[in-house]
């Protein structure tokens, strides 16, 4: 990244009255959360539709919970990195100055919240929330293992299952209904409320920052053109060029934890 481009970016950032940030797996990869499609990605070991889909749930909810139990276990040992913290700090400074800041994330690990981000729009749900299939209530749940039956179950192997979990071993709501992960699975629609909140944050923003995501999957793929239509500047922080690189005014190549702390260390310019 050239010093000139960095200074131009920071000068635009200081003047921004409304900022939107879109983050993806790349931000959490630096914290040790496995990514999906990259090297060592989760979906290279598991066929996504065989484990994170309504069909998989119909076939074997125990296998699906084994997968999420394993992901919760992994996430529990991970901490926010300097990239998460730099975004939380930017949000606090911007909100204190009476300006608008919206963090939209495709991540489900909760690391943004742990770093201090207040109310990120979680497009794909949360590893730490469960939803009752009977009464529909969504609740926070940090139990690891999710139920005692899942203790030590490790990483599921769809091809060589050691055992099946019974209905009684699945997590249950107080109402008696079965709990599922509050995660948007393949083939499921995103929550209207989250989509609306994300669009409201992007529409009319002065600056859209895309971090750690290739932004090729809907709806993230639509945010860059949406921001663009309203005249926003677009900046990208990614370890490699992505589908949005050619649409960006600023491209910073590298990890979020390495680039964001100094890049975002600015104060808003007082309003005239
Ligand atoms: Zn219930």
């Amino acid at each position: 990244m050239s010093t000139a481009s960095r200074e131009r970016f920071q000068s635009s950032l200081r003047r921004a009255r409304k900022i939107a940030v879109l983050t993806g797996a790349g931000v959490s990869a630096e914290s040790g959360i496995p990514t999906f499609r990259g090297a060592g990605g989760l979906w290279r070991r598991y066929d996504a539709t065989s484990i994170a889909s309504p069909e998989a749930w119909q076939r074997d909810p125990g296998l699906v919970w084994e997968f999420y139990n394993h992901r919760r276990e992994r996430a529990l040992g991970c901490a926010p990195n300097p990239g998460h913290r730099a975004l939380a700090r930017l949000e606090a400074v911007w909100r204190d100055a009476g300006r608008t800041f919206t963090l939209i994330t495709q991540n489900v690990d909760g690391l943004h919240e742990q770093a201090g981000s207040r109310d990120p729009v979680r497009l794909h749900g949360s590893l730490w929330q469960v939803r009752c299939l009977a009464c529909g209530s969504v609740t926070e749940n940090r139990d690891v293992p999710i139920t005692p039956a899942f203790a030590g179950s490790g990483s599921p192997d769809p091809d060589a299952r050691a055992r099946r979990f019974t209905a009684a071993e699945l997590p249950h709501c107080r109402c008696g209904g079965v709990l599922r992960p509050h995660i948007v699975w393949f083939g499921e629609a995103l929550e209207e409320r989250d989509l609306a909140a994300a669009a409201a944050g992007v529409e009319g923003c002065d600056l859209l920052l895309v971090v750690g995501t290739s932004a090729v999957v809907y709806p993230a793929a639509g945010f860059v053109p949406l921001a663009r239509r309203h005249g926003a500047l677009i900046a990208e922080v990614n370890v490699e060029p992505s589908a949005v690189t050619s649409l960006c005014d600023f491209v910073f190549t590298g990890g979020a934890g390495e680039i964001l702390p100094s890049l975002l260390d600015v104060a808003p310019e007082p309003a005239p």
Side-chain angles (χ1 to χ4, degrees):
M1 112 189 68
S2 76
T3 310
S5 132
R6 184 190 176 86
E7 280 171 4
R8 278 194 302 119
F9 168 79
Q10 289 182 327
S11 147
S12 303
L13 174 61
R14 273 194 288 270
R15 287 194 305 271
R17 308 200 60 81
K18 179 172 177 176
I19 298 175
V21 180
L22 172 67
T23 70
V27 181
S28 290
E30 289 169 73
S31 288
I33 301 274
T35 60
F36 292 92
R37 294 182 175 80
L42 285 170
W43 303 137
R44 297 202 171 192
R45 290 167 57 210
Y46 310 116
D47 167 26
T49 53
S50 78
I51 209 150
S53 68
E55 294 74 26
W57 179 264
Q58 288 303 323
R59 206 179 311 125
D60 188 354
L63 175 67
V64 175
W65 260 123
E66 193 178 14
F67 176 65
Y68 283 100
N69 184 67
H70 177 63
R71 289 184 62 188
R72 286 158 64 105
E73 228 164 41
R74 291 282 302 260
L76 208 59
C78 296
N81 65 60
H84 293 107
R85 287 197 292 273
L87 289 170
R89 180 197 160 276
L90 184 70
E91 172 180 327
V93 170
W94 249 248
R95 288 192 174 179
D96 285 351
R99 302 187 183 191
T100 309
F101 183 100
T102 308
L103 177 64
I104 304 157
T105 187
Q106 297 167 283
N107 300 340
V108 297
D109 51 50
L111 292 179
H112 280 305
E113 295 90 324
Q114 223 179 303
S117 292
R118 265 184 283 170
D119 47 4
V121 179
R122 293 183 295 230
L123 291 175
H124 295 162
S126 169
L127 266 186
W128 307 110
Q129 288 184 320
V130 292
R131 184 163 85 240
C132 175
L133 292 174
C135 72
S137 67
V138 174
T139 48
E140 300 290 318
N141 178 311
R142 299 192 74 88
D143 298 343
V144 176
I146 184 68
T147 70
F150 288 83
S153 64
S155 150
D157 180 351
D159 300 322
R161 299 290 322 285
R163 80 192 215 46
R164 282 178 77 95
F165 292 89
T166 66
E169 289 172 328
L170 300 176
H172 285 79
C173 178
R174 258 181 290 181
C175 82
V178 173
L179 296 170
R180 62 162 272 181
H182 188 51
I183 298 266
V184 179
W185 287 331
F186 290 91
E188 290 189 314
L190 276 71
E191 303 246 350
E192 280 302 325
R193 201 191 40 180
D194 294 331
L195 278 175
V202 171
E203 256 169 20
C205 69
D206 303 303
L207 181 70
L208 172 64
L209 183 59
V210 179
V211 188
T213 172
S214 52
V216 289
V217 180
Y218 174 85
F223 293 148
V224 170
L226 177 63
R228 188 51 106 195
R229 263 202 302 283
H230 292 264
L233 290 171
I234 320 281
E236 178 188 36
V237 176
N238 263 326
V239 289
E240 52 189 24
S242 79
V244 296
T245 302
S246 62
L247 301 168
C248 290
D249 302 283
F250 303 97
V251 176
F252 302 102
T253 304
E258 164 200 343
I259 289 187
L260 293 183
S262 61
L263 186 67
L264 302 183
D265 187 20
V266 298
E269 210 166 80

